[in-house]
Amino acid sequence: MTVPADLDRRFRDAADREGLVDVAYDLTDSPVGELLVATTEQGLCRIAYRPDDALGELVDDFGVRVLRVPRRLDPVRRELDEYFEGHRREFDLQLDLSPVGSFHREALHELALVPYGQVTTYGALAKKIGHPHAARAVGGAMNRNPIPIVLPCHRVVGANGKLVGYAGGLDRKELLLKLEGAMLDTLFP
Amino acid sequence: MTIPPFECFYAQHGDEVFGLLVRRLGRQRAEDAFQETFLRALRAYPSLRHGDYLRAWVLTIARNVAVDAFRREKPTIELEEPIELPKRPAYAELEHLTDELPPTERAAVVLRYAYDMPYDAIGAALGSSEDAARQAASAGVRRLRRKEIA
């Protein structure tokens, strides 16, 4: 017998209200495809281009009580929508980077400072966090960015101005940069 | 088997649990019991040591929730329909042996000795405390021993 939709929703809300959920998540549509967005009590902890793989990763990082609670993700969905509509240039969301190691976290904090519509390079980012020879490691950190889009790893390119790589695929990286009006050709003629 | 994300567990067993509770309690009261069952499961979930027999586990919780609902109020619909549990020698034997125990003691004994759950998780699953779960399991075992001697 199928669980009625309103009962299902009431259970999810009750579970969340009682603080029994390690990670609340939802799926949301976007111009770069369906995204899984997830939050802990501390803040947004994951945006995933591949929702199927993400649930297991969330268990590893935060605990087994991973539950879809759409209401909890309303603020995140709203800011993402505004961003994709071109009305938002900065995100105003608490983040949870607790499973991320210290080097990785430093790189992500520096990344968060790269302004909308601008690009930097892996080398420049490495230099800024005091590891000038760690461009490759910074590239790895970007590749494992748990919160793409909000932490804008799409704004990091190779020294030659090539897009180089993106965990979500180069098409998405290009689309995000175009959306922000980043003029790659003029930056790296 | 590793423990799946709660969402997957819930998606897999939600409909069956709901059907069971509707048969036992009627449609209206089944809704509260459904929510209570999965809240109890959610409280106990982090204490699980493995992901085996999750179906039998959640059905045990559901049955116990239904018994609690019975106690509170006379049912609108009463159907005798035993829960079908998966075949598992140790469990099957325990199920048979514990048949005559009061429901809470039976659930505590089964969760402790067939599912190897720690007492805090059993307490959460039964909607009581760790101490109450330990007492229920031990009372159940004592009762079984007496039965064996008799």
Side-chain angles (χ1 to χ4, degrees), chain A residues 82-145:
Chain A
E82 290 166 0
Y83 168 80
F84 283 117
E85 287 160 8
H87 303 317
R88 174 174 287 278
R89 295 176 155 239
E90 280 176 25
F91 290 95
D92 187 20
L93 297 164
Q94 293 284 324
L95 305 184
D96 183 351
L97 290 173
S98 56
V100 174
S102 60
F103 175 85
H104 193 179
R105 194 180 309 194
E106 240 180 291
L108 292 176
H109 281 157
E110 198 58 44
L111 169 69
L113 303 176
V114 181
Y116 184 93
Q118 295 185 27
V119 293
T120 186
T121 65
Y122 298 102
L125 216 49
K127 211 167 163 183
K128 281 216 166 124
I129 60 170
H131 298 281
H133 303 298
R136 191 170 286 272
V138 166
M142 297 303 111
N143 192 255
R144 287 176 285 107
N145 176 7

Side-chain angles (χ1 to χ4, degrees), chain A residues 1-188:
Chain A
M1 190 177 287
T2 311
V3 179
D6 66 320
L7 174 60
D8 176 71
R9 184 179 43 74
R10 269 185 286 144
F11 162 66
R12 293 173 187 280
D13 287 345
D16 183 45
R17 205 169 43 242
E18 294 203 15
L20 296 173
V21 177
D22 297 321
V23 182
Y25 78 94
D26 196 17
L27 302 173
T28 188
D29 280 326
S30 83
V32 287
E34 187 179 53
L35 302 172
L36 177 141
V37 287
T39 185
T40 64
E41 289 288 321
Q42 275 66 51
L44 179 65
C45 65
R46 193 91 173 88
I47 292 181
Y49 289 117
R50 280 180 283 274
D52 288 348
D53 302 337
L55 292 190
E57 294 163 13
L58 289 170
V59 166
D60 292 343
D61 286 346
F62 299 100
V64 285
R65 296 183 299 184
V66 176
L67 189 68
R68 190 169 176 179
V69 188
R71 199 178 46 81
R72 269 284 293 284
L73 280 306
D74 285 347
V76 176
R77 218 187 335 264
R78 189 163 51 240
E79 293 208 8
L80 283 171
D81 285 349
E82 290 166 0
Y83 168 80
F84 283 117
E85 287 160 8
H87 303 317
R88 174 174 287 278
R89 295 176 155 239
E90 280 176 25
F91 290 95
D92 187 20
L93 297 164
Q94 293 284 324
L95 305 184
D96 183 351
L97 290 173
S98 56
V100 174
S102 60
F103 175 85
H104 193 179
R105 194 180 309 194
E106 240 180 291
L108 292 176
H109 281 157
E110 198 58 44
L111 169 69
L113 303 176
V114 181
Y116 184 93
Q118 295 185 27
V119 293
T120 186
T121 65
Y122 298 102
L125 216 49
K127 211 167 163 183
K128 281 216 166 124
I129 60 170
H131 298 281
H133 303 298
R136 191 170 286 272
V138 166
M142 297 303 111
N143 192 255
R144 287 176 285 107
N145 176 7
I147 317 176
I149 304 172
V150 170
L151 289 174
C153 58
H154 57 277
R155 294 178 197 151
V156 190
V157 299
N160 55 3
K162 292 248 167 63
L163 293 186
V164 183
Y166 191 59
L170 285 181
D171 289 353
R172 287 193 173 104
K173 187 170 189 172
E174 201 177 329
L175 201 148
L176 290 170
L177 287 171
K178 277 192 179 146
L179 170 92
E180 296 186 4
M183 308 298 265
L184 284 174
D185 294 346
T186 52
L187 279 167
F188 300 96

Side-chain angles (χ1 to χ4, degrees), chain B residues 10-108:
Chain B
Y10 171 71
Q12 197 173 354
H13 303 294
D15 289 352
E16 186 179 5
V17 165
F18 185 61
L20 169 95
L21 291 168
V22 168
R23 287 195 299 278
R24 295 213 149 194
L25 297 171
R27 176 66 185 242
Q28 204 177 349
R29 292 194 308 159
E31 298 213 349
D32 287 344
F34 175 85
Q35 182 162 315
E36 179 61 21
T37 297
F38 278 101
L39 287 177
R40 287 187 191 183
L42 194 52
R43 282 187 203 104
Y45 208 66
S47 315
L48 289 175
R49 289 170 183 159
H50 55 70
D52 300 334
Y53 315 112
L54 289 178
R55 174 174 172 267
W57 177 67
V58 74
L59 291 178
T60 303
I61 297 174
R63 178 164 52 180
N64 215 63
V65 168
V67 167
D68 289 351
F70 262 149
R71 280 187 189 142
R72 276 198 301 275
E73 200 187 328
K74 282 203 99 174
T76 48
I77 299 172
E78 192 166 349
L79 291 177
E80 269 309 310
E81 192 165 337
I83 298 175
E84 195 187 312
L85 288 156
K87 295 277 173 284
R88 178 188 174 206
Y91 179 75
E93 194 173 333
L94 203 48
E95 185 186 33
H96 169 70
L97 286 171
T98 56
D99 245 0
E100 288 165 29
L101 291 183
T104 307
E105 289 180 16
R106 181 178 194 231

